[in-house]
Amino acid sequence: NAGVTQTPKFQVLKTGQSMTLQCAQDMNHEYMSWYRQDPGMGLRLIHYSVGAGITDQGEVPNGYNVSRSTTEDFPLRLLSAAPSQTSVYFCASKISGGLVGSSEAFFGQGTRLTVV
Amino acid sequence: AQSVAQPEDQVNVAEGNPLTVKCTYSVSGNPYLFWYVQYPNRGLQFLLKYITGDNLVKGSYGFEAEFNKSQTSFHLKKPSALVSDSALYFCAVTRAGSYQLTFGKGTKLSVIP
C-alpha cells in the first residue's frame, strides 16, 4: 500500500497564480483532511471531508477550495496565491469505523509551497 | 472549542536518560488524545493514543503516555532516550464523536550523545 500520496513535493508560485495540490489515499478511508504547518504554530486544519461529496471548513479555510468526488482523492485548490500561503501542506486520512474520532490519522509526506 | 498546549518549545535530554514531553488539553466531553512524531522533511507518524480504559498507554518505539483527567494532561515519556528519538513531537486532541484533530505547536526533542 502506498498510504497517502501528495504531489507535488515542492512548488513555487507567483502571487496571484492558482494551483491544485493533489492528495490520494489507497486505504479506503472515508475521512480526509488538509492541514498547513507553519513554524511555531503547529498544524492548522484547512478543510476536511467525511466522505465523497461532503466537505467542510476547518480553522483556516480562506483562500482555499476543496472537492471530494471520489473516496480516494481530495485535492486542495489555491485560487489566487498570496505570500501568506507560503507553508508546508499535509494531507491526512482516517478510517471512519468504530468510535468516531478514535482512529489515528495517516499523513502524506507534505508539499512545501513558496509564494513569491 | 478544543485546544492543546505544549509548554516547552524544546526539550534537551542526554542519551540513556528518561525523557518527558508535556501536553495539556482542553475539550468539552470525553477526550481522545494522540501523540505524533515528525522527522525532518517528513510527514507525521502516529505514536500512541488514549481513547478509554487504562490511563497508561504504550506505543511505538518504547514510548508511553499517561492520561491524567484531573490535570487534563497527556505527557509523553520514555525510560531511556536514544539519539534517534530526536524529532518534533505533536500532541493532538479531539472529542468523542468528532473527527477534527487539534494539534499543539510541537516540541522539538534533542537527545544529546
Side-chain angles (χ1 to χ4, degrees):
Chain A
N1 282 349
V4 179
T5 303
Q6 291 184 236
T7 55
K9 287 186 170 52
F10 301 94
Q11 183 70 49
V12 179
L13 287 179
K14 294 183 179 179
T15 298
Q17 286 185 319
S18 62
M19 79 159 295
T20 300
L21 279 63
Q22 301 291 345
C23 176
Q25 53 91 9
D26 61 0
M27 298 173 283
N28 202 32
H29 287 172
E30 291 293 328
Y31 180 84
M32 297 184 73
S33 55
W34 277 101
Y35 291 88
R36 59 177 289 172
Q37 182 180 22
D38 301 293
M41 302 190 72
L43 279 78
R44 293 181 292 168
L45 182 65
I46 304 171
H47 285 286
Y48 65 97
S49 168
V50 297
I54 306 169
T55 64
D56 207 344
Q57 298 180 353
E59 180 184 355
V60 288
N62 292 342
Y64 307 95
N65 272 0
V66 292
S67 60
R68 185 93 179 273
S69 56
T70 67
T71 299
E72 294 78 19
D73 300 300
F74 191 44
L76 178 72
R77 296 183 186 84
L78 280 71
L79 308 174
S80 177
S84 61
Q85 294 178 304
T86 294
S87 187
V88 181
Y89 292 84
F90 288 100
C91 179
S93 70
K94 298 178 76 167
I95 197 167
S96 303
L99 297 173
V100 172
S102 65
S103 62
E104 59 269 26
F106 292 79
F107 284 82
Q109 299 275 37
T111 295
R112 187 174 295 273
L113 176 68
T114 302
V115 183
V116 298
Chain B
Q2 55 196 39
S3 63
V4 173
Q6 294 182 240
E8 301 152 319
D9 291 337
Q10 178 147 357
V11 170
N12 297 321
V13 64
E15 186 177 23
N17 281 5
L19 70 86
T20 298
V21 182
K22 296 179 180 178
C23 170
T24 59
Y25 67 91
S26 174
V27 67
S28 58
N30 292 327
Y32 292 163
L33 293 152
F34 301 81
W35 276 101
Y36 291 85
V37 60
Q38 184 181 34
Y39 297 100
N41 300 314
R42 303 295 298 273
L44 278 70
Q45 298 176 31
F46 169 74
L47 276 181
L48 51 79
K49 65 182 178 183
Y50 171 82
I51 302 303
T52 188
D54 194 348
N55 289 345
L56 183 65
V57 294
K58 295 185 183 297
S60 307
Y61 313 119
F63 284 94
E64 59 188 29
E66 186 164 12
F67 170 65
N68 187 316
K69 187 173 184 178
S70 63
Q71 297 186 5
T72 62
S73 67
F74 189 56
H75 302 328
L76 182 70
K77 300 182 180 184
K78 187 174 182 181
S80 179
L82 300 172
V83 173
S84 57
D85 293 330
S86 298
L88 188 57
Y89 290 81
F90 290 97
C91 181
V93 69
T94 187
R95 60 173 175 81
S98 171
Y99 287 111
Q100 294 192 55
L101 271 178
T102 297
F103 285 84
K105 294 182 178 181
T107 298
K108 183 178 179 181
L109 173 67
S110 294
V111 181
I112 303 161

